Amino acid sequence: VQLVESGGGLVQPGGSLRLSCAASGGRFLIDVMGWYRQAPGKERTLVATISSGGSTNYLDSVKGRFTISRDNVKNTVYLQMNSLKPEDTGVYYCNADLWLLPHYDNFEYWGQGTQVTVSS
């Protein structure tokens, strides 16, 4: 199983980006999916999560600007980021809590990371 991310890049303050992360490579059920970020010199922090039923949770500083969503048919999670600020800069990592079939073994997977840079 692998998580493949896309959608990062360079954007000016106030701009928008949409990140995508698709899970593939086996038979599984996905529980919680989420996005984390790591700024230079800082620890990786939670940005947003979404449960299989659609319940969401956000870092306080991104509430009202970022929206997490998922497509359970495509096994994909999205992060729509609006009104971006320089402090949103960092490497964004996709995370998924998977149950591997047929034995329902539980594992946590991470994507490779995608760089988001907010700068004028």
Side-chain angles (χ1 to χ4, degrees):
V1 177
Q2 60 178 349
L3 303 181
V4 178
E5 302 156 353
S6 61
L10 172 64
V11 64
Q12 293 186 342
S16 298
L17 283 174
R18 188 191 194 211
L19 306 182
S20 299
C21 171
S24 64
R27 295 178 60 232
F28 48 81
L29 299 174
I30 306 177
D31 191 356
V32 178
M33 302 187 81
W35 290 94
Y36 290 70
R37 71 185 178 197
Q38 187 165 18
K42 296 187 178 181
E43 294 184 354
R44 191 175 300 186
T45 59
L46 173 69
V47 175
T49 61
I50 184 167
S51 72
S52 57
S55 297
T56 58
N57 179 51
Y58 294 95
L59 178 68
D60 283 347
S61 63
V62 308
K63 287 180 181 178
R65 300 188 297 121
F66 290 12
T67 302
I68 189 170
S69 61
R70 63 190 283 171
D71 184 328
N72 291 329
V73 174
K74 296 181 179 180
N75 294 324
T76 300
V77 63
Y78 306 96
L79 186 68
Q80 178 66 44
M81 304 185 293
N82 298 328
S83 303
L84 282 160
K85 303 176 181 180
E87 51 264 43
D88 295 318
T89 294
V91 179
Y92 283 68
Y93 295 92
C94 174
N95 174 273
D97 186 31
L98 302 183
W99 298 89
L100 301 183
L101 302 176
H103 301 297
Y104 292 88
D105 298 316
N106 184 238
F107 291 96
E108 182 181 39
Y109 286 86
W110 291 90
Q112 80 282 3
T114 185
Q115 178 69 44
V116 171
T117 302
V118 185
S119 175
S120 55

